[in-house]
C-alpha cells in the first residue's frame, strides 16, 4: 500500500482495559465537538454523549487503571535513561508530564460525580431512553435553558467539560504513548485472512487502502489475534487474494 494513497485507520483493543479507554476517548472527543449548544439537536447530542460517558465510567475502576498505567509508562521511561544517545531532556519532560497527570487524577473527585449530581444533566439523562422523551412538554427545564443567553450556556458547558479535564489529560498522554510504541509494518493477507502473535500488546492499529472498500473483523487477545477482511459491499464486493495493509502492534 502506497503511503500516498488514501487509507482508513482501524484500531482494535486486545483487552478490556483498552476497550474501555478507547470508548471513553471516543465519547470525550464527541463532547468537545459541541462547545456551543445553539439548538435542541446539538444539545441532545451533547447530553446523550455525557450520559453514555457516565455509564462507561460506572463500570470498573477507571481511575485505578489509569493511575497504574501512568506509573507503568514512567517505569518504561526510566529504562530509556540507560540507553546511549537518548534525548534525556525529552525523557525527563515526559516523566514530569506523567507525574503531573497522575497527581491531578488522584486529587480529582470521583470521575463524573459532579456531572451525575447536576440537576439539568440528571433530568435529561432520565428522559433519553424514552423515544421522543425530550420534548419541551417533557423537559421544560431544558427548553428554558436553551433560551438563556448563549454566553451563559457556554459558561456552563465549559464548566462541565472542565470537570473531565483530569480524566481527559491522563487518557490522552497514555494513549499517545501506547500508539507510538508500535511502528507500522507492511503486511499481506491471503484470501482475506491474517493472524499473528500479539506479544502481550494492548492495541492493534491497521491502515487499509480506501480504494478497496474493505474493513477488518478482528478477534484476539494480548497473546494472539486473527484478522478477517470483509468487503463493504457484502453482495458484490470482493476481497483481493493478496491484500497489502500496514499493521502496528502496540
Amino acid at each position: 500500500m502506497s503511503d500516498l494513497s488514501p487509507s482508513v485507520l482501524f484500531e482494535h483493543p486486545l483487552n478490556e482495559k483498552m476497550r474501555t479507554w478507547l470508548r471513553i476517548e471516543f465519547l470525550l472527543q464527541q463532547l468537545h465537538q459541541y462547545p456551543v449548544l445553539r439548538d435542541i439537536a446539538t444539545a441532545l447530542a451533547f447530553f446523550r454523549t455525557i450520559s453514555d460517558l457516565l455509564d462507561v465510567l460506572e463500570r470498573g475502576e477507571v481511575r485505578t487503571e489509569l493511575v497504574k498505567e501512568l506509573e507503568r509508562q514512567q517505569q518504561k521511561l526510566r529504562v530509556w535513561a540507560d540507553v546511549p544517545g537518548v534525548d534525556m531532556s525529552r525523557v525527563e519532560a515526559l516523566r514530569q508530564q506523567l507525574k503531573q497527570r497522575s497527581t491531578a487524577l488522584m486529587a480529582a473527585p470521583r470521575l463524573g460525580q459532579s456531572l451525575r449530581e447536576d440537576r439539568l444533566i440528571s433530568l435529561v439523562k432520565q428522559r433519553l431512553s424514552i423515544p421522543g422523551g425530550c420534548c419541551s412538554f417533557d423537559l421544560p427545564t431544558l427548553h428554558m435553558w436553551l433560551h438563556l443567553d448563549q454566553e451563559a450556556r457556554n459558561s456552563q458547558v465549559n464548566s462541565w467539560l472542565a470537570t473531565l479535564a483530569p480524566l481527559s489529560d491522563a487518557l490522552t498522554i497514555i494513549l499517545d504513548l501506547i500508539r507510538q510504541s508500535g511502528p507500522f509494518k507492511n503486511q499481506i493477507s491471503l484470501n482475506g485472512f491474517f493472524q499473528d502473535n500479539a506479544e502481550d500488546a494492548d492495541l492493534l492499529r491497521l491502515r487499509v487502502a480506501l480504494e478497496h472498500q474493505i474493513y477488518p473483523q478482528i478477534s484476539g487477545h494480548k497473546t494472539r489475534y486473527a484478522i478477517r477482511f470483509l468487503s463493504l459491499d457484502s453482495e458484490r464486493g470482493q476481497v483481493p487474494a493478496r491484500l497489502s495493509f500496514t499493521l502496528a502492534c502496540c
Side-chain angles (χ1 to χ4, degrees):
M1 182 177 65
S2 170
D3 292 338
L4 299 178
S5 63
S7 62
V8 181
L9 173 65
F10 296 91
E11 294 188 327
H12 186 83
L14 293 174
N15 52 55
E16 191 59 32
K17 172 187 67 177
M18 181 58 66
R19 189 182 308 276
T20 298
W21 291 352
L22 291 180
R23 285 175 174 160
I24 292 174
E25 179 191 48
F26 174 68
L27 294 168
L28 288 172
Q29 288 173 345
Q30 291 179 66
L31 283 178
H32 285 87
Q33 290 178 356
Y34 300 106
V36 179
L37 307 185
R38 300 186 185 278
D39 51 50
I40 187 65
T42 54
L44 286 181
F46 179 84
F47 285 114
R48 185 170 286 107
T49 304
I50 281 185
S51 178
D52 287 347
L53 178 61
L54 293 178
D55 287 344
V56 173
L57 292 177
E58 282 289 340
R59 307 167 194 163
E61 295 293 330
V62 176
R63 188 210 304 262
T64 301
E65 292 294 341
L66 288 173
V67 169
K68 287 181 181 177
E69 185 63 28
L70 288 167
E71 176 57 33
R72 187 171 80 92
Q73 291 295 335
Q74 289 183 60
Q75 292 175 356
K76 290 174 68 175
L77 288 175
R78 292 188 190 104
V79 174
W80 280 101
D82 298 326
V83 178
V86 168
D87 184 350
M88 284 306 301
S89 61
R90 175 61 176 159
V91 170
E92 186 57 31
L94 275 173
R95 284 183 59 186
Q96 290 302 318
Q97 287 183 47
L98 289 166
K99 288 180 181 179
Q100 291 168 5
R101 304 290 168 88
S102 181
T103 300
L105 187 61
M106 288 189 292
R110 183 186 177 199
L111 297 180
Q113 187 60 31
S114 62
L115 299 180
R116 293 185 190 90
E117 295 174 351
D118 186 273
R119 181 171 178 270
L120 180 58
I121 291 176
S122 179
L123 287 172
V124 177
K125 192 175 189 298
Q126 293 170 17
R127 306 293 303 183
L128 285 173
S129 61
I130 303 173
C134 294
C135 291
S136 60
F137 59 85
D138 286 310
L139 276 175
T141 305
L142 175 61
H143 186 66
M144 183 64 206
W145 185 78
L146 286 169
H147 283 79
L148 296 179
D149 181 75
Q150 184 66 59
E151 186 175 342
R153 295 204 304 276
N154 293 348
S155 176
Q156 188 155 17
V157 169
N158 289 333
S159 68
W160 287 333
L161 295 179
T163 66
L164 297 171
L167 168 65
S168 180
D169 291 345
L171 188 60
T172 296
I173 193 170
I174 285 172
L175 291 180
D176 282 349
L177 289 172
I178 290 176
R179 285 171 174 137
Q180 293 171 21
S181 68
F184 279 97
K185 298 179 181 179
N186 294 323
Q187 304 287 0
I188 296 178
S189 73
L190 300 177
N191 298 316
F193 184 76
F194 181 87
Q195 64 179 351
D196 201 355
N197 296 323
E199 300 175 357
D200 202 27
D202 292 307
L203 178 69
L204 290 182
R205 310 183 76 210
L206 294 81
R207 288 192 183 277
V208 182
L210 179 60
E211 62 179 317
H212 298 304
Q213 295 189 29
I214 287 171
Y215 64 92
Q217 191 175 74
I218 305 171
S219 60
H221 45 76
K222 65 180 182 178
T223 59
R224 191 164 183 80
Y225 61 89
I227 305 171
R228 174 73 65 183
F229 289 96
L230 303 172
S231 174
L232 186 60
D233 186 341
S234 59
E235 295 183 1
R236 295 179 297 275
Q238 293 185 342
V239 178
R242 293 175 62 86
L243 174 67
S244 297
F245 66 100
T246 59
L247 174 69
C249 199
C250 307

